Amino acid sequence: MTRRLTLIIATATLAAATLAATTLTAVSANAQESLLPRTGWGVAVGLSAWHFTTAIPQASGAVADIAEVAIPFRVRAVRGRWNFDLSGAGAFGAVHLSPNTGDGAAQGEDDTGDRVVTIAGPTDVKLRLTGPVVGDNTLVTVGFNLPTGKVGLNADETAALQAIGAPAMRMPVGAFGAGAGATLGVIHVVQGEAWALAFGASAEQRTEFSPIAIALAAGKAETQVKPGTAAHVTVGYDRPLGEGRWSLLFVGDLYSRDQLTASGGGQAEVTGAYTLGPQYTVSSVMQFAASRWREAAFSAAARLRSEFSDATGAKVSGSSGTYLEASLGGVRGGSSGAGFIVGADARWQSGLTFTDALVGAASTAAGVTLGIERAGSATLTRWTLHGQYGTFDTGRASTTGMGVTLGLSIAARREVQ
């Protein structure tokens, strides 16, 4: 139980900027080292799409449809008591823009007609190493963000990424390049007779990178971002729940000031700064043992994003938000052979009222997942269909939308006890 919980905390410490429910669910299923082969791997391909009943006005045009094909991968190896983890993805995204009408067109926004903007490329590759430094109860995690992702974007690619990367869309790949970076963390576990409590902390630093090339009226400008330091604090609890298990995780993120510089494109150099506010996430996973079910679990998570500060240190009103989500599902079937995947999920986001861009949209959405899992002697294969329905409100416009995700994944299978 100690190694299982410390691996959960290690993963959360290195990925603390993301909503922890999805991460914790995946790690809880895969982090029992005794069940893993010496080398594990997984690859998937998925097609995700959203269609809106009424297009959502944006500066580059009204967003009518969004689609993305993503191919994530992960390789994991164990050497002695050290765990090596490598992950990344490639993606192609497309956004159908229709003309802005009414107020949007009057404000001089793009109304040149229907068009499709796209973005394609690799993401950054994340490398992680986790192992004990003092007995079995204290671990160190070292992570590196390798700058392999796409960073130099033109105006159309920027418009596509602004829609695809909006939190309300929950696309598989919402960011491509974030620049080189490193994370160092320490986790300590206190273990009782039937429970374990873990404490973790990490510091993250990225170097200067160039995420986007913005199209300006007089040409193109390159925006340079020099991030400050981020600190992540995690606390995790794990114990049996009848014949199943219950895990609880808290993640806190603190950020220092980030510097911005825009130059080129015939424009004078512009500098600025901002400081992200603290972010707090609480997530819980309950795994159930049920007859004729290969696995079954309920997960829930809540995240609070506090207001960020501008260059003067003043809080930006309307820049805080709350995110809630929950899911229930499992695989019905025996330990090997075919199993039937069924699940349901729901989420709610308060939105960020300081902007009417899609990235700050308030949303409520629910979905159902159906699929087939094939557990062979060496590999685990999954085919899934996830349908969604949601409402979206940018403060300037509101609409409903329907989404669908088709997925296929293949991974090295854990040995069965």
Side-chain angles (χ1 to χ4, degrees):
M1 179 169 61
T2 300
R3 179 60 59 87
R4 177 178 181 274
L5 183 59
T6 50
L7 288 174
I8 291 175
I9 298 298
T11 300
T13 301
L14 291 171
T18 63
L19 193 58
T22 302
T23 301
L24 185 58
T25 301
V27 176
S28 295
N30 296 309
Q32 300 183 41
E33 183 179 313
S34 62
L35 300 182
L36 285 171
R38 302 301 291 177
T39 300
W41 56 269
V43 63
V45 57
L47 168 62
S48 301
W50 277 96
H51 169 72
F52 304 106
T53 54
T54 302
I56 304 173
Q58 299 289 280
S60 55
V63 178
D65 303 278
I66 301 175
E68 182 181 66
V69 176
I71 306 176
F73 68 89
R74 181 185 178 192
V75 177
R76 180 177 180 272
V78 179
R79 184 176 180 85
R81 293 162 60 186
W82 288 83
N83 295 270
F84 169 89
D85 194 285
L86 185 73
S87 62
F92 172 83
V95 179
H96 170 211
L97 300 175
S98 62
N100 281 314
T101 58
D103 293 341
Q107 292 172 9
E109 295 179 337
D110 196 320
D111 58 354
T112 56
D114 283 278
R115 62 194 183 106
V116 175
V117 293
T118 63
I119 181 171
T123 68
D124 290 344
V125 171
K126 298 183 183 299
L127 173 65
R128 181 174 72 244
L129 183 67
T130 305
V133 289
V134 180
D136 289 329
N137 286 18
T138 302
L139 278 76
V140 63
T141 63
V142 181
F144 299 96
N145 195 74
L146 309 180
T148 57
K150 185 179 181 66
V151 293
L153 310 185
N154 59 33
D156 284 349
E157 290 173 325
T158 300
L161 187 58
Q162 287 172 341
I164 292 170
M169 298 297 99
R170 292 296 299 272
M171 287 297 186
V173 175
F176 286 78
T183 302
L184 177 63
V186 177
I187 306 101
H188 180 71
V189 177
V190 178
Q191 186 175 5
E193 184 175 345
W195 55 268
L197 182 65
F199 304 90
S202 68
E204 177 186 7
Q205 178 64 58
R206 292 195 303 269
T207 59
E208 184 173 340
F209 65 97
S210 177
I212 56 175
I214 302 175
L216 300 177
K220 297 185 180 298
E222 192 77 6
T223 300
Q224 303 287 335
V225 182
K226 188 173 183 180
T229 302
H232 309 295
V233 178
T234 56
V235 180
Y237 179 74
D238 182 88
R239 65 167 299 147
L241 182 68
E243 296 183 2
R245 303 205 65 83
W246 175 50
S247 298
L248 182 67
L249 180 68
F250 167 80
V251 180
D253 308 310
L254 302 173
Y255 303 93
S256 63
R257 174 173 292 198
D258 297 340
Q259 301 291 331
L260 295 170
T261 303
S263 60
Q267 302 292 317
E269 183 173 281
V270 178
T271 61
Y274 64 91
T275 304
L276 297 176
Q279 181 173 276
Y280 310 99
T281 302
V282 178
S283 63
S284 177
V285 175
M286 289 181 284
Q287 297 176 313
F288 307 106
S291 176
R292 299 183 181 179
W293 284 84
R294 186 174 301 169
E295 61 181 67
F298 171 77
S299 65
R303 178 175 56 166
L304 173 63
R305 183 194 300 273
S306 57
E307 294 177 330
F308 69 83
S309 303
D310 60 20
T312 66
K315 300 290 186 182
V316 177
S317 177
S319 63
S320 62
T322 303
Y323 306 77
L324 304 175
E325 65 177 76
S327 65
L328 174 65
V331 181
R332 184 170 177 80
S335 60
S336 62
F340 180 61
I341 301 171
V342 60
D345 61 273
R347 67 181 186 273
W348 174 83
Q349 299 181 4
S350 65
L352 308 176
T353 58
F354 82 99
T355 178
D356 60 6
L358 189 57
V359 68
S363 67
T364 302
V368 174
T369 300
L370 299 173
I372 298 294
E373 179 180 273
R374 178 72 180 179
S377 60
T379 59
L380 190 70
T381 305
R382 282 191 169 198
W383 297 266
T384 57
L385 171 64
H386 182 216
Q388 300 180 79
Y389 178 82
T391 62
F392 306 91
D393 188 350
T394 63
R396 171 180 169 187
S398 61
T399 187
T400 60
M402 294 176 289
V404 63
T405 298
L406 298 171
L408 167 63
S409 64
I410 305 175
R413 190 187 180 199
R414 303 187 303 274
E415 297 177 0
V416 179
Q417 288 183 330

